[in-house]
Amino acid sequence: MAKKKIELEYPLSNVSGPILWNAISTSIGLQTWMANKVTDQERVFTFEWSEDEIRQAEMTHKRNNSHVRFHWLDDDDPQSYFELGMDYNELTGDYTLTVTDTVEEDEAEEITDLWNIEVESLLRLYSMNG
C-alpha cells in the first residue's frame, strides 16, 4: 500500500527551547508525553504504551535544537519515518512543534488523531509549567 507523508504543526506558547528539545529528543522527555515508558540504548528507543503495545524505533537523524528523525524497526519501508522538529519564531518568541510522519494512506486520519492526542498531553504539561 502507498505511503503518505503528513505534516502537523502545533504552536507552543511560553515554552523554552531547552525544555522543548528535551521533550522531543530524549527518552525521559518522550516518556512525559508520548508513551507510558520510553527507554533508549544507543540509538534505539523502546516505546511502551501497554504490555501488549511496545515498539522500537531507531533515531536515524538528530540535529541539535532542531529535529530528530526515527524509523520504526518493524516497518519494512526503509523510507518510512517520523520526525519531531522545533521552529522558533523570532517575532513572537514562541516555538512550533512540527510532526512529520509517513503513514499508510488509509491510516492518515487515524494517525493524525493519534498525534493530536499525544501533543495535547505535551501542551497540558507545558500549561501546568507555564
Side-chain angles (χ1 to χ4, degrees), residues 8 10 34 82 99 101 111-119:
L8 309 167
Y10 303 94
M34 194 172 159
F82 74 93
V99 176
D101 202 349
I111 299 297
T112 297
D113 290 344
L114 185 61
W115 278 115
N116 289 339
I117 290 167
E118 299 292 0
V119 173

Side-chain angles (χ1 to χ4, degrees), residues 24-49:
I24 67 172
S25 67
T26 68
S27 57
I28 293 169
L30 290 164
Q31 184 172 297
T32 63
W33 66 279
M34 194 172 159
N36 293 336
K37 183 176 181 183
V38 180
T39 56
D40 67 289
Q41 188 168 9
E42 298 291 317
R43 298 177 67 85
V44 175
F45 286 64
T46 301
F47 296 83
E48 187 174 330
W49 291 273

Side-chain angles (χ1 to χ4, degrees), residues 1 3 7 23 26 29 32 44 59 67 71 82 87 92 98 104 108 115 123:
M1 176 153 301
K3 293 255 183 164
E7 287 191 15
T26 68
T32 63
V44 175
M59 183 186 288
H67 64 273
H71 171 75
F82 74 93
D87 295 306
T92 64
T98 304
E104 301 289 343
W115 278 115
L123 294 173

Side-chain angles (χ1 to χ4, degrees), residues 6-20:
I6 56 173
E7 287 191 15
L8 309 167
E9 291 188 355
Y10 303 94
L12 303 172
S13 301
N14 303 318
V15 171
S16 79
I19 289 175
L20 180 57

Side-chain angles (χ1 to χ4, degrees):
M1 176 153 301
K3 293 255 183 164
K4 172 183 180 176
K5 182 163 51 169
I6 56 173
E7 287 191 15
L8 309 167
E9 291 188 355
Y10 303 94
L12 303 172
S13 301
N14 303 318
V15 171
S16 79
I19 289 175
L20 180 57
W21 178 245
N22 182 64
I24 67 172
S25 67
T26 68
S27 57
I28 293 169
L30 290 164
Q31 184 172 297
T32 63
W33 66 279
M34 194 172 159
N36 293 336
K37 183 176 181 183
V38 180
T39 56
D40 67 289
Q41 188 168 9
E42 298 291 317
R43 298 177 67 85
V44 175
F45 286 64
T46 301
F47 296 83
E48 187 174 330
W49 291 273
S50 68
E51 282 186 26
D52 298 333
E53 191 174 4
I54 300 171
R55 290 184 82 187
Q56 290 187 311
E58 179 183 5
M59 183 186 288
T60 58
H61 187 76
K62 178 179 179 179
R63 184 169 180 200
N64 284 340
N65 299 308
S66 175
H67 64 273
V68 290
R69 181 176 287 188
F70 294 90
H71 171 75
W72 292 114
L73 296 181
D74 59 3
D75 190 331
D76 295 334
D77 181 354
Q79 302 299 313
S80 180
Y81 67 90
F82 74 93
E83 184 173 280
L84 305 172
M86 55 187 267
D87 295 306
Y88 181 70
N89 183 324
E90 291 185 21
L91 291 174
T92 64
D94 292 332
Y95 283 91
T96 299
L97 173 65
T98 304
V99 176
T100 306
D101 202 349
T102 49
V103 300
E104 301 289 343
E105 282 194 42
D106 63 342
E107 294 179 347
E109 188 175 328
E110 179 184 342
I111 299 297
T112 297
D113 290 344
L114 185 61
W115 278 115
N116 289 339
I117 290 167
E118 299 292 0
V119 173
E120 184 63 37
S121 297
L122 180 65
L123 294 173
R124 274 197 305 273
L125 179 69
Y126 284 128
S127 68
M128 291 189 318
N129 293 333

